[in-house]
Amino acid sequence: MLLTKALDGVPRKIVSLNPSITEYLFVLGAGDRVVASDVWSYRPREAMKTMKIGSFTAADIESIRRLGPDLIILAYPVQKHLVDSLSMIAPVLAIPMPTNLNAIASAFEMVGNLLDMDNEAARVINTYMDALKESAVSVDNVLVVLSLGDFVIPCESSYIASALNRVGLRYARGLKCVELITNRDGMLGVVDRVNPGLIIYEGKTKEYRPQEFNWVNKPVLYTPNDTLAHYGPSLPLDIQLLTNALMRKESFVKNTSSILRPSLSDPWYRVYL
């Protein structure tokens, strides 16, 4: 993690361009410090009320300047092109895409430390890890495919693989760190090479659309978009829904956080609060 310069006291006005960290800030109890966020920061529902100052890859620099934040949080490397310009406004905390659950815990811990909320951070981290418990299902050689314009395949050195391994869905090994596949032939080549026992396919929309991937002749479990692609506090809860769907032999994971867009007052977050 990169903090571009020293903080001048405990941050009270935060701009978060990292949706996973935005959710964490609200669950941590620091949501009232978030003065702006990106359009993908819709977890929890309260975050949707914050000023929206960009997408996941772009930001309205002048609007951020007018807000006068004392901390800006980015996702790295996808937002590295914003670091220099935003560092002229306030200290920037650039958080790398986590490679495993320990990296998520480290990011949560550092943010909690910067906000002088160490005890609260420890509580959230412990709950997060406890929620990723061994499930009643066990599957070998699991492959995840995210539809993010191209097909994106996380490797074994990813937080997705780390989380699935923890609950008994053992992730495929031997993949590049991230594989980008642009067409069906390329995807079928990867599937033939890996020969997965299960593919978890995260689709383009929040609806169940098997036509997006039913040309692959392997067992497939479909999830709505922005489910596994999000590592905030909702991830362990969404993975519980995923394992439950597998136990019930369902083809689609229903009512994930990206569908429900829950409020902090909803039962969804009860485990954390």
Side-chain angles (χ1 to χ4, degrees):
M1 278 162 283
L2 168 68
L3 183 63
T4 57
K5 52 187 174 182
L7 297 175
D8 184 15
V10 177
R12 298 295 173 186
K13 296 175 68 178
I14 301 170
V15 169
S16 175
L17 297 174
N18 184 322
S20 295
I21 298 300
T22 302
E23 183 187 30
Y24 170 67
L25 289 168
F26 276 84
V27 171
L28 187 68
D32 58 342
R33 305 191 201 187
V34 181
V35 296
S37 64
D38 67 289
V39 295
W40 287 97
S41 287
Y42 57 80
R43 298 178 181 95
R45 196 178 307 148
E46 287 79 359
M48 297 173 67
K49 299 176 183 178
T50 61
M51 180 179 177
K52 299 303 177 183
I53 41 73
S55 68
F56 191 52
T57 56
D60 184 338
I61 303 296
E62 289 309 311
S63 291
I64 295 174
R65 191 186 310 277
R66 286 193 293 270
L67 286 169
D70 40 32
L71 178 63
I72 302 169
I73 301 177
L74 302 181
Y76 194 89
V78 69
Q79 296 169 343
K80 65 180 180 180
H81 59 286
L82 299 173
V83 171
D84 289 343
S85 56
L86 290 176
S87 291
M88 302 295 290
I89 300 171
V92 170
L93 177 63
I95 298 179
M97 180 61 68
T99 56
N100 51 45
L101 292 173
N102 289 335
I104 294 175
S106 294
F108 287 177
E109 184 178 31
M110 182 170 186
V111 172
N113 180 263
L114 293 177
L115 301 187
D116 196 22
M117 300 181 73
D118 300 80
N119 292 337
E120 294 88 341
R123 171 182 53 80
V124 173
I125 293 167
N126 289 337
T127 302
Y128 189 105
M129 296 301 181
D130 287 346
L132 285 167
K133 55 190 175 185
E134 188 80 17
S135 69
V137 293
S138 177
V139 183
D140 287 326
N141 213 30
V142 175
L143 184 70
V144 170
V145 179
L146 309 174
S147 180
L148 300 174
D150 297 324
F151 299 116
V152 177
I153 302 177
C155 70
E156 59 191 283
S157 297
S158 66
Y159 71 86
I160 292 175
S162 183
L164 293 178
N165 286 332
R166 189 176 173 104
V167 302
L169 304 180
R170 288 172 287 279
Y171 201 74
R173 303 181 68 86
L175 293 162
K176 297 177 184 177
C177 195
V178 174
E179 297 220 18
L180 299 176
I181 312 297
T182 59
N183 55 57
R184 289 189 179 193
D185 288 344
M187 177 53 61
L188 291 171
V190 173
V191 171
D192 287 343
R193 172 161 54 91
V194 175
N195 191 25
L198 171 70
I199 297 174
I200 301 172
Y201 174 72
E202 189 149 304
K204 297 178 181 178
T205 71
K206 303 192 186 308
E207 301 172 350
Y208 178 37
R209 299 176 62 186
Q211 65 270 24
E212 288 185 23
F213 211 67
N214 61 6
W215 39 269
V216 174
N217 188 25
K218 289 289 179 181
V220 179
L221 177 64
Y222 295 79
T223 66
N225 73 325
D226 201 27
T227 298
L228 296 178
H230 176 84
Y231 64 84
S234 283
L235 177 66
L237 310 180
D238 283 325
I239 287 180
Q240 287 180 11
L241 295 179
L242 189 154
T243 56
N244 289 340
L246 282 174
M247 284 189 288
R248 293 192 294 262
K249 301 186 185 304
E250 295 174 347
S251 299
F252 183 63
V253 183
K254 303 173 183 175
N255 298 323
T256 66
S257 60
S258 65
I259 298 292
L260 295 178
R261 300 195 174 196
S263 167
L264 285 173
S265 60
D266 291 343
W268 180 263
Y269 287 110
R270 184 176 298 152
V271 65
Y272 284 108
L273 305 176

